[in-house]
């Protein structure tokens, strides 16, 4: 083998965040930047030696170039075999499934998820371990440490391979298989859900759907699953061709960014009965009914309450988990089912142990993410199929299903306000101030309700005992409303402050309010306590979901 050892100086900023290393494309394209990080991963992930690696990405700009580099580095670092998605495409859930199905030692996913792409956009890289899930913090910390002192990396001298055909290659002693990106994943979905029941919804014209792939990775998956296997209406898919810049948009499935979809579902004539979207790498989902939006936290609660109606979960669920900022709607369902609901820090990596230890079956986050023990990542298309299957069984619309859930369990009005690209120092000061005053806030009354608890959330993993501190300031009121403050770990420009609000209402006459109106008082309380606008020089939030 023709291996070169290239000397290279360390970069100081290769610390992975909530979900891998995310930076501007221009940062990734600096000399040896990607190579340094990849070598740091290979240095830590010694389990890849002589084993199988799964490799793919969301199709954004620099995806294919990065794959060629990583293949040559994998060969130089003793990987035995790589399975790479055709045209370099693999969704995050598909990678998770492939790792598990083929007993791979790990996977590398090239994606900055919901962040915009293109030459001026973002790029990202994340490593998943042999259970199919994101590497734990102990792993990413070790990778970061190596990246700080790295002096060289190994790469083999070889031509680029053709990723456009399903074919086998040899690169040095390593074999590379370019595989179909979709089939294995689609087969898995077919094992979990009742495709016949869903198909009959479309066959009898009982319903029509619109799925927005946002010009990101789910296009080919949606074509195979919704068009080919489920025979959905002909115009079911929009933006289904993956583009390097996602057509210039943010591939983020929320009402702010999936505007075309939202306009279709809100049309006065011929609106489809069901709408959905996924993000850049296919792990997020948004669910819409006709003129109706399902809050992701509610979606998790509704899935939990109805899981037994789905073939894959017909024996019931063991437990559930949600991230700290996710509303406590699912907690109410867990209580009624007498199962445990775990509260974890933000990011899917914290669910892995709970899933592996069979403590939970379903889990989710407020940020349009939900999933189950079928893989170790959140899964956008899985969530869409879950809802379609529910509609097929219950013979009710999205709105009816959601409203009857509120009737039974009460409603958690919920919103998230994001303040983007804030000066890092100001954002840190704001959070530090909240930490400082947390103790003294306890017992004080705001807008008629007393603060029952105020702290900086710390998580003790019940499986491995690891402690993760400083995960967000939470303010819990006696009337069960709640405010959470935290800084994003996925942004690439300054700091993003996320403020999460929830207000629990059981009065059946009060279940149909506008969300922002229902939360107005709480939003004012957050401003009084945290002084966001004055401290960050802002007049309003940049994105409200
Ligand atoms: C955000 C979300 C978090 C999610 C993460 C990765 O993180 O809030 O819930 O797990 O993105 O999602 P942060 O640190 O920016 O709040 V994905 O689909 O971007 O990989
Ligand atoms: Co994503």
């Amino acid at each position: 083998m023709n291996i070169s050892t290239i000397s290279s100086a360390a970069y100081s900023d290769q610390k992975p965040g909530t979900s891998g290393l995310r930076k501007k494309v221009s940062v990734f394209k600096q000399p040896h930047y990607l190579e340094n990080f990849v070598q740091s991963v290979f240095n830590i992930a010694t389990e890849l030696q002589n084993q199988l690696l799964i490799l793919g990405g969301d199709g954004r700009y620099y995806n294919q170039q990065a794959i060629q580099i990583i293949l040559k580095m994998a060969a130089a670092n003793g990987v035995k075999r790589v399975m790479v998605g055709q045209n370099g495409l693999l969704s995050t859930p598909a990678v998770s499934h492939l790792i598990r199905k083929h007993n791979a030692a790990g996977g590398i996913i090239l994606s900055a998820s919901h962040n915009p792409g293109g030459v001026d956009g973002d790029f990202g890289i994340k490593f998943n371990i042999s259970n199919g899930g994101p590497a734990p913090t102990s792993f990413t910390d070790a990778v970061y440490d190596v990246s700080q002192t790295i002096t060289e990396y190994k790469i083999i001298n070889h031509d680029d391979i053709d990723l456009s055909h399903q074919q086998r290659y040899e690169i040095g002693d390593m074999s590379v298989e370019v595989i179909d990106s979709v089939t294995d994943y689609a087969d898995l979905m077919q094992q979990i859900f009742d495709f016949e029941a869903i198909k009959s919804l479309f066959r009898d014209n009982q319903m029509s759907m619109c799925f927005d792939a946002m010009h990101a990775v789910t296009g080919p998956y949606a074509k195979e699953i919704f068009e080919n296997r489920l025979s959905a209406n002909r115009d079911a898919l929009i933006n289904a061709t993956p583009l390097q810049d996602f057509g210039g948009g943010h591939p983020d499935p929320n009402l702010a960014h999936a505007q075309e979809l939202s306009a279709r579902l809100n049309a006065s004539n011929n609106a489809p009965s069901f709408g959905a979207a996924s993000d850049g790498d296919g792990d997020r989902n948004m669910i819409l009914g006709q003129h109706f939006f399902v809050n992701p936290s509610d979606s998790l609660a509704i899935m939990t309450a109805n899981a037994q109606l789905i073939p894959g979960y017909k024996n019931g669920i063991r437990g559930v988990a949600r991230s700290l900022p996710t509303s406590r709607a699912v907690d109410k369902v867990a209580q009624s089912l007498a199962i445990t609901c775990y509260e974890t820090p933000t990011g899917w990596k914290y669910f892995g142990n709970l899933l592996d230890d069979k403590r939970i079956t379903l889990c989710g986050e407020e940020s349009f993410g939900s999933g189950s023990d079928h893989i170790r990542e959140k899964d956008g298309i899985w969530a869409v199929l879950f809802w379609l299957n529910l509609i097929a069984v219950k013979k009710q619309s999205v709105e009816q299903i959601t409203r009857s859930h509120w009737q039974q369990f009460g409603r958690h009005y919920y919103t998230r306000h994001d303040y983007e690209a804030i000066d890092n120092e100001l954002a840190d000061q704001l959070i530090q101030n909240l930490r400082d005053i947390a103790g003294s806030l306890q017992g004080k009354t705001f807008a008629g309700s007393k603060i029952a608890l105020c702290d900086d959330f710390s998580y003790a993993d019940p499986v491995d005992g690891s402690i993760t501190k400083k995960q967000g300031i939470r303010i819990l009121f006696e009337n069960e409303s709640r405010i959470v403050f935290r800084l994003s770990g996925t942004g690439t420009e300054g700091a993003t402050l996320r403020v999460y609000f929830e207000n629990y209402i059981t009065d059946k006459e009060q279940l149909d309010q506008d969300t922002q109106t229902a939360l107005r008082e709480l939003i004012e309380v957050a401003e009084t306590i945290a002084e966001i606008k004055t401290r960050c020089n802002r007049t309003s939030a940049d994105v409200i979901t």
Side-chain angles (χ1 to χ4, degrees):
M1 270 205 298
N2 195 356
I3 297 176
S4 301
T5 303
I6 314 278
S7 25
S8 165
Y11 287 91
S12 62
D13 63 346
Q14 299 198 321
K15 191 168 181 63
T18 312
S19 179
L21 183 69
R22 266 180 219 185
K23 300 282 173 193
K24 293 263 168 234
V25 165
S26 54
V27 173
F28 263 104
K29 283 183 122 181
Q30 295 173 92
H32 313 308
Y33 191 91
L34 175 74
E35 290 87 342
N36 275 10
F37 187 76
V38 172
Q39 185 63 53
S40 306
V41 169
F42 283 131
N43 286 3
I44 298 302
T46 46
E47 65 269 27
L48 290 172
Q49 301 274 326
N50 242 327
Q51 294 294 325
L52 170 65
L53 170 76
I54 309 293
L55 177 62
D58 64 10
R60 68 178 60 224
Y61 179 77
Y62 203 48
N63 189 30
Q64 299 229 7
Q65 293 96 310
I67 285 180
Q68 300 289 355
I69 293 170
I70 295 169
L71 284 173
K72 291 171 210 171
M73 289 185 65
N77 278 280
V79 174
K80 186 177 183 192
R81 200 153 73 89
V82 178
M83 287 168 97
V84 54
Q86 193 170 357
N87 297 314
L89 292 179
L90 281 177
S91 73
T92 288
V95 170
S96 187
H97 176 51
L98 288 167
I99 293 173
R100 297 167 68 77
K101 179 172 174 176
H102 298 282
N103 291 321
I108 292 179
I109 306 170
L110 302 164
S111 172
S113 189
H114 56 287
N115 296 21
V119 191
D120 301 320
D122 292 347
F123 191 74
I125 174 166
K126 46 188 180 174
F127 182 72
N128 282 28
I129 56 176
S130 63
N131 73 348
T137 317
S138 52
F139 179 97
T140 51
D141 284 350
V143 169
Y144 173 61
D145 285 347
V146 171
S147 78
Q148 294 304 283
T149 53
I150 199 160
T151 54
E152 58 185 37
Y153 64 88
K154 281 193 256 172
I155 190 160
I156 200 164
N157 301 317
H158 199 280
D159 288 339
D160 285 358
I161 61 163
D162 178 5
L163 296 172
S164 65
H165 293 95
Q166 291 169 35
Q167 219 174 309
R168 276 172 189 276
Y169 301 91
E170 303 294 325
I171 300 185
D173 296 338
M174 183 181 86
S175 71
V176 180
E177 225 178 302
V178 180
I179 58 163
D180 173 279
S181 312
V182 173
T183 307
D184 278 335
Y185 175 82
D187 290 349
L188 175 67
M189 293 301 111
Q190 206 155 355
Q191 285 162 27
I192 300 173
F193 300 105
D194 186 347
F195 272 37
E196 279 313 309
I198 301 174
K199 216 171 158 177
S200 70
L201 284 178
F202 295 117
R203 189 172 48 231
D204 306 339
N205 281 330
Q206 289 179 53
M207 70 172 286
S208 57
M209 70 178 281
C210 180
F211 177 84
D212 186 353
M214 306 193 83
H215 286 304
V217 79
T218 49
Y221 296 86
K223 272 205 170 96
E224 173 61 16
I225 293 172
F226 301 123
E227 275 187 0
N228 300 347
R229 299 198 188 192
L230 293 170
S231 312
N233 43 298
R234 278 166 176 270
D235 55 355
L237 306 185
I238 58 173
N239 304 320
T241 308
L243 297 176
Q244 290 199 349
D245 67 349
F246 309 118
H250 282 235
D252 197 354
N254 57 41
L255 293 176
H257 294 304
Q259 282 173 1
E260 184 181 348
L261 174 75
S262 152
R264 285 199 191 207
L265 271 290
N266 285 314
S268 38
N269 284 321
N270 294 325
S273 32
F274 179 84
S278 190
D279 70 333
D281 60 331
D283 56 359
R284 296 185 177 206
N285 74 87
M286 174 168 70
I287 303 294
L288 300 175
Q290 227 169 44
H291 309 275
F292 194 80
F293 166 76
V294 183
N295 183 279
S297 299
D298 281 349
S299 177
L300 175 64
I302 291 166
M303 286 174 168
T304 306
N306 295 289
Q308 278 188 292
L309 302 176
I310 307 292
Y313 309 100
K314 64 174 187 297
N315 297 325
I317 52 177
R318 297 192 181 91
V320 283
R322 60 159 175 81
S323 62
L324 162 73
T326 306
S327 100
R328 291 174 294 174
V330 70
D331 300 39
K332 297 286 173 197
V333 179
Q335 220 171 5
S336 85
L337 294 173
I339 55 173
T340 306
C341 177
Y342 296 86
E343 182 174 48
T344 61
T346 298
W348 215 259
K349 56 186 169 218
Y350 298 101
F351 294 136
N353 277 348
L354 300 173
L355 290 162
D356 286 349
D357 203 44
K358 300 198 185 308
R359 287 169 185 251
I360 60 167
T361 306
L362 299 180
C363 43
E365 296 192 279
E366 57 69 40
S367 54
F368 299 81
S370 40
S372 88
D373 58 359
H374 68 292
I375 53 170
R376 294 294 180 271
E377 286 277 7
K378 57 186 184 272
D379 191 342
I381 287 188
W382 169 89
V384 176
L385 289 167
F386 200 119
W387 272 89
L388 287 172
N389 202 153
L390 273 191
I391 292 167
V393 177
K394 285 180 163 271
K395 308 255 181 282
Q396 286 179 324
S397 70
V398 171
E399 179 167 356
Q400 284 167 334
I401 292 173
T402 309
R403 287 198 185 280
S404 65
H405 185 89
W406 293 338
Q407 287 289 327
Q408 189 181 348
F409 294 98
R411 176 170 180 186
H412 288 76
Y413 285 96
Y414 186 88
T415 190
R416 179 176 108 188
H417 289 198
D418 289 342
Y419 296 82
E420 295 178 338
I422 308 174
D423 180 85
N424 280 312
E425 215 170 302
L426 293 180
D428 288 342
Q429 281 167 8
L430 184 143
I431 294 289
Q432 189 52 47
N433 173 57
L434 288 171
R435 281 191 190 117
D436 294 344
I437 63 174
S440 66
L441 283 174
Q442 222 147 285
K444 287 205 175 135
T445 297
F446 290 87
S449 188
K450 211 192 230 181
I451 295 181
L453 175 93
C454 179
D455 67 357
D456 195 349
F457 179 65
S458 168
Y459 177 63
D461 185 311
V463 180
D464 66 15
S466 60
I467 310 275
T468 313
K469 291 183 181 157
K470 298 190 173 178
Q471 291 302 304
I473 311 291
R474 52 178 183 174
I475 307 180
L476 272 63
F477 293 85
E478 280 181 350
N479 66 358
E480 292 196 47
S481 49
R482 195 175 67 140
I483 309 170
V484 174
F485 300 86
R486 60 179 283 280
L487 297 181
S488 155
T490 58
T492 57
E493 239 181 286
T496 295
L497 172 70
R498 303 201 196 282
V499 193
Y500 312 78
F501 304 93
E502 99 189 52
N503 189 5
Y504 181 49
I505 301 290
T506 49
D507 178 353
K508 293 199 168 39
E509 304 300 312
Q510 303 284 318
L511 298 179
D512 199 19
Q513 301 173 57
D514 166 69
T515 299
Q516 298 303 319
T517 314
L519 291 163
R520 185 182 298 143
E521 253 188 350
L522 206 57
I523 294 166
E524 283 166 11
V525 169
E527 184 55 39
T528 307
I529 293 176
E531 302 162 339
I532 305 164
K533 291 180 181 147
T534 45
R535 283 175 176 273
C536 302
N537 300 320
R538 293 298 166 95
T539 50
S540 60
D542 297 292
V543 180
I544 294 180
T545 52

